[in-house]
Amino acid sequence: MATCPTEDITTCPSETTSSYDRITVQFDKKSVLRKLQHLKVDKSPGPGGIHPALLKNCASAVTKPLTAIFQESYYSGIVPNDWKIADISPLFKKGSKSDPGNYRPVSLTSVLCKVMESIIRDTVVESLKDKYSCFQHGFMKHRSCLTNILESLEAWTKALDEGYGIDLIYLDYRKAFDTVPHARLIEKLKSLGTSGKLLDWIANFLHLRKMRVRVRISFSEWVEVLSGVPQGCVLGPLLFLLFVNDLPDWISSNIRMFADDTKIWCIIKETDDGLMLQSDLENLVKW
């Protein structure tokens, strides 16, 4: 099984600035029309009230003005305020239904903004395709929960067949998507070569976002979102993956990730081998 080389963890990866070409996003009528034609008509219209079915059926008529709006937003680095609001629908997970902590917040955001985000995401994913950690299996093309499990089981089975033990730790970050600090995320995007108008647009996209909770036909008051990547939008998963992309560089043990779900393990050949995991946990705290 192929593995990535382990980086030197004595230097903080976020302090190392790499020099990649600037990523430029092109908005043309052809790409906008294609995105509109592939909208899923069974999705919610979000707080903007524009239903995906309407946009899809009128794709040819609205492509030109939407292309102009997307270009203006991108080149000015300003995201309309109506695109930075979200209605939160609580989705019950398990446990007591009276405990708010047992609900997963699902964000309903502007469909128009999602179309623009989708074009930006495609460009960023293609431009940074060689930069993603090979240990990350979440939200990645040709990778999944299944590939994550198969690679892990292969490594564990091999170690056990050779007569060694395995120390394994499962990690999960509480409210991982909601607690990503915006300033630190922007710095990590810079280190990956994101700059100029794209970086300005993403920074504005994250700034001064607001949300409210919707239960049936009732709404809470609007509150400002001070941290985190927006769940329910197109760019959210990508931004989170870029934020945690350098996490494997901080540890010496084996690692596999599915978004924020992480497992690290080491093969026990000698008595002191297990101490490596403790050292890795301390490094993850620093990270």
Side-chain angles (χ1 to χ4, degrees):
M1 179 175 61
T3 58
C4 292
T6 302
E7 299 287 344
D8 182 5
I9 63 173
T10 57
T11 302
C12 175
S14 62
E15 294 177 351
T16 304
T17 302
S18 304
S19 55
Y20 303 120
D21 293 337
R22 175 178 296 182
I23 303 171
T24 302
V25 183
Q26 299 291 339
F27 296 94
D28 55 74
K29 289 184 286 187
K30 183 178 180 180
S31 61
V32 173
L33 177 62
R34 183 171 63 252
K35 293 295 182 182
L36 291 174
Q37 291 174 336
H38 285 83
L39 285 174
K40 296 182 179 180
V41 298
D42 58 343
K43 297 298 183 179
S44 169
I50 302 178
H51 203 281
L54 175 63
L55 292 173
K56 183 173 183 177
N57 292 331
C58 302
S60 299
V62 300
T63 293
K64 184 176 181 180
L66 283 182
T67 302
I69 291 173
F70 294 162
Q71 290 174 341
E72 178 62 24
S73 175
Y74 179 76
Y75 288 109
S76 66
I78 299 175
V79 180
N81 291 332
D82 288 347
W83 292 4
K84 297 197 286 185
I85 60 176
D87 287 339
I88 308 298
S89 292
L91 180 64
F92 179 69
K93 296 185 293 184
K94 60 181 179 179
S96 173
K97 290 188 176 182
S98 62
D99 183 359
N102 290 332
Y103 290 81
R104 183 186 304 278
V106 177
S107 299
L108 303 178
T109 58
S110 168
V111 178
L112 292 179
C113 189
K114 286 182 178 179
V115 174
M116 183 174 180
E117 290 176 65
S118 181
I119 297 174
I120 293 176
R121 179 200 58 191
D122 292 348
T123 302
V124 174
V125 168
E126 179 62 25
S127 300
L128 299 180
K129 61 183 179 181
D130 297 328
K131 312 305 176 187
Y132 299 109
S133 171
C134 62
F135 302 120
Q136 177 63 259
H137 290 254
F139 309 117
M140 302 289 291
K141 191 175 182 179
H142 304 308
R143 302 184 199 177
S144 64
C145 183
L146 179 60
T147 60
N148 185 322
I149 294 173
L150 289 177
E151 287 190 7
S152 302
L153 284 177
E154 181 181 353
W156 299 342
T157 303
K158 180 180 179 182
L160 293 175
D161 287 345
E162 293 174 350
Y164 301 122
I166 302 172
D167 277 359
L168 169 66
I169 297 177
Y170 282 86
L171 303 172
D172 190 17
Y173 303 98
R174 186 171 64 91
K175 300 186 182 301
F177 278 68
D178 297 328
T179 54
V180 172
H182 293 164
R184 211 169 304 169
L185 171 60
I186 294 300
E187 289 302 315
K188 291 196 175 187
L189 293 177
K190 286 182 182 179
S191 71
L192 289 169
T194 306
S195 59
K197 291 180 174 57
L198 174 59
L199 188 65
D200 292 341
W201 192 91
I202 294 176
N204 192 268
F205 173 77
L206 296 171
H207 185 56
L208 294 179
R209 297 190 68 89
K210 293 183 178 181
M211 65 179 183
R212 63 181 178 180
V213 177
R214 184 187 73 181
V215 178
R216 296 176 182 170
I217 60 173
S218 300
F219 296 88
S220 69
E221 298 293 331
W222 289 103
V223 295
E224 187 174 343
V225 180
L226 302 178
S227 65
V229 292
Q231 297 189 54
C233 72
V234 176
L235 280 178
L238 174 61
L239 293 177
F240 182 81
L241 292 189
L242 295 176
F243 182 78
V244 300
N245 192 60
D246 63 337
L247 187 151
D249 299 340
W250 287 73
I251 69 170
S252 302
S253 301
N254 298 285
I255 183 173
R256 290 299 181 273
M257 305 164 64
F258 190 87
D260 61 315
D261 293 321
T262 305
K263 51 182 172 284
I264 59 176
W265 72 89
C266 65
I267 310 301
I268 306 301
K269 299 180 180 180
E270 299 178 359
T271 305
D272 294 338
D273 286 345
L275 298 176
M276 181 187 300
L277 280 179
Q278 180 60 45
S279 175
D280 287 337
L281 288 177
E282 294 171 359
N283 284 326
L284 289 179
V285 171
K286 296 177 183 178
W287 174 86

